[in-house]
Amino acid sequence: MKITFGRIAAVSAVALAAAGFAATGTAQSAPAKGSKIENAYICVFNPGLVAKGNVTAEAARSAKAAGGAVGFTYKNTIRGFSVNASAQGVSKMQANNPRIAYCEQDQIMTADGKPGGSAGKPGGGSAPAESTPWGVTRVGGGLSGSTATAWVIDSGIDYTHPDLNVDTARSRSFTRESDGDDANGHGTHVAGTIAAIKGNGIGVVGVAPGTKVVAVKVLTRQGSGSNSGVIAGVEYAADNHSNGDVANMSLGGGFSQALNTAVEAAAGQGLKFALAAGNESTSATTKSPASANGNNIYTISSFTKTNDSWSSFSNYGNPPVDFAEPGSAIPSTYKDGGYATLSGTSMASPHAAGLLLLGAIRSGGTVNGDPDGNPDTIGIN
């Protein structure tokens, strides 16, 4: 990921946590995307056999039978729970409990930024003068007026960034970190593309400027988290959204039926989702939540500024990909009140989220060079 900053005191070799990768020097990389988490599972009940009001009690009994402990419980998207227990314990629990439809091993989830490059550290100095990023212009964004909320399911959002309207009261963390404030930068970048303020004279302009953004932190300052925590974040957004709200998920891992089902259930409750297709240059059907499909779900691939050309890192395939959006060299807000230019389907997805906040997405042509031979439609306002 190539990163440049609007407020720069110095550039140093720090962890490229925004994408779960390391820069040079002494920085350590985050765990690999999609890698399995030992002794951690997500178990899903058959909803016809476990009522919503019985999930907590049934989860506790099931975890005890597995010799483990309950992590999260889920009631309104999937009905189930996460559990820390051995593989043998979980297998025994399943065999003796017909109410459990399936269990899958928990896995590492990371931000869908493009790997590579180095990170800078914002410092003193003034913010850059306001400008509209090329991607916002290309999709016809920068229009105020949305009264809905963007739920940014990511690494958090910089609570005090002067270019963002952050709803801190509703922001939450589903990681070991205590609140939704962003110590990574990725989530703040996503939030800025969606909703950076227009007319304040500084920084950048979002697709739906000034829209209220809520931090749903599921990735830590290292840029990684657990699938079980991501599902908890999806459930939180689903439980608290209002009509017209949009959730953005610029993250991913390996395929997860539990996560896909949770997203599809939340979308069925009226919450719209913009999902990054992923950056492995492969079929998006192999990744979650990118492979989730259904009404109110939009999986987003990436293209460049030059001739609407395909971003070489982007995953592809329709279904599940619905639209392509600008994702290469995207300037936006960043942690510590700063600004950065990042690339990835992480940067493409929030363009779609902003468009959904403004209304329906319409066709603005097609990308050039889509590797699946079926060019994705460019989504615009």
Side-chain angles (χ1 to χ4, degrees), residues 1-287:
M1 183 187 298
K2 182 67 175 177
I3 307 182
T4 58
F5 286 88
R7 292 184 180 180
I8 302 178
V11 176
S12 60
V14 299
L16 189 56
F21 291 84
T24 59
T26 59
Q28 295 181 348
S29 61
K33 174 186 291 189
S35 59
K36 302 300 183 184
I37 303 174
E38 187 176 6
N39 296 329
Y41 293 84
I42 299 163
C43 295
V44 179
F45 294 123
N46 184 326
L49 299 179
V50 177
K52 183 164 62 174
N54 293 336
V55 167
T56 299
E58 186 61 36
R61 285 192 293 269
S62 299
K64 183 177 180 180
V70 174
F72 297 104
T73 56
Y74 316 110
K75 299 179 181 179
N76 297 320
T77 52
I78 58 174
R79 289 185 191 168
F81 62 101
S82 64
V83 59
N84 295 319
S86 68
Q88 295 86 351
V90 170
S91 179
K92 180 180 178 181
M93 173 190 68
Q94 285 184 265
N96 293 314
N97 190 345
R99 291 175 293 280
I100 295 177
Y102 64 91
C103 294
E104 63 179 44
Q105 194 167 358
D106 205 354
Q107 61 172 295
I108 296 295
M109 306 292 283
T110 69
D112 270 326
K114 181 179 177 290
S118 61
K121 187 176 182 181
S126 59
E130 183 175 283
S131 63
T132 302
W134 76 267
V136 174
T137 299
R138 177 64 183 88
V139 303
L143 304 177
S144 303
S146 173
T147 58
T149 295
W151 300 80
V152 181
I153 304 175
D154 210 291
S155 66
I157 303 172
D158 180 352
Y159 276 4
T160 58
H161 201 293
D163 220 357
L164 293 171
N165 179 17
V166 187
D167 184 344
T168 59
R170 289 192 289 172
S171 295
R172 296 288 186 276
S173 175
F174 297 91
T175 73
R176 64 178 179 270
E177 296 171 359
S178 60
D179 60 36
D181 201 13
D182 185 12
N184 177 284
H186 187 272
T188 303
H189 194 279
V190 166
T193 296
I194 297 171
I197 295 168
K198 182 179 182 179
N200 60 356
I202 61 170
V204 293
V205 174
V207 176
T211 299
K212 190 175 294 184
V213 289
V214 176
V216 183
K217 182 187 282 189
V218 297
L219 306 177
T220 67
R221 65 185 61 227
Q222 285 76 34
S224 62
S226 66
N227 191 30
S228 57
V230 171
I231 295 171
V234 170
E235 177 136 322
Y236 176 72
D239 288 350
N240 292 279
H241 82 281
S242 298
N243 186 45
D245 287 1
V246 177
N248 187 88
M249 299 182 72
S250 287
L251 50 77
F255 182 84
S256 166
Q257 186 60 59
L259 176 55
N260 283 6
T261 301
V263 169
E264 290 161 5
Q269 297 168 25
L271 178 61
K272 298 181 179 71
F273 281 85
L275 309 175
N279 304 319
E280 293 78 23
S281 303
T282 191
S283 172
T285 59
T286 65
K287 308 298 177 183

